[in-house]
Amino acid sequence: LWGGFAQDELVVALAARSLGDEVELLWVQTLSQRRGQRWASQLMDAWLSNAKHNHSRAFLEVHERNKSALQLYTHLGFQPVG
């Protein structure tokens, strides 16, 4: 579990699990009033940097209707597989 804070407030969090040499992003959530301020992007940048040192591949699943998540993941370098 990873988190990003502003003062004492948890603004963004993500959960992931290690699957041997791979790591799966389970979810990312940002407080609604903080969306659009790059909190998720910055947290995921840090998480991905860590994941690259410890795993050969990071992956996730996202529903095709979740346009904001698709945009974020594409910006971070994730590519559709299926």
Side-chain angles (χ1 to χ4, degrees):
L1 192 59
W2 287 62
F5 292 83
Q7 287 119 22
D8 293 332
E9 178 182 45
L10 179 63
V11 174
V12 60
L14 72 77
R17 66 179 172 174
S18 180
L19 301 167
D21 197 34
E22 299 179 329
V23 63
E24 178 183 14
L25 176 67
L26 300 172
W27 54 261
V28 179
Q29 200 148 19
T30 305
L31 288 177
S32 59
Q33 64 268 31
R34 297 288 190 152
R35 290 187 183 141
Q37 298 175 11
R38 297 192 29 85
W39 283 93
S41 179
Q42 290 177 17
L43 183 61
M44 286 195 61
D45 278 339
W47 174 76
L48 281 169
S49 177
N50 179 272
K52 288 177 185 177
H53 290 295
N54 298 305
H55 299 57
S56 67
R57 182 173 89 106
F59 69 96
L60 56 88
E61 293 183 22
V62 62
H63 197 283
E64 63 188 23
R65 289 186 297 198
N66 192 342
K67 301 297 182 191
S68 61
L70 287 169
Q71 183 178 6
L72 170 64
Y73 301 145
T74 300
H75 171 76
L76 292 169
F78 285 93
Q79 299 175 354
V81 174

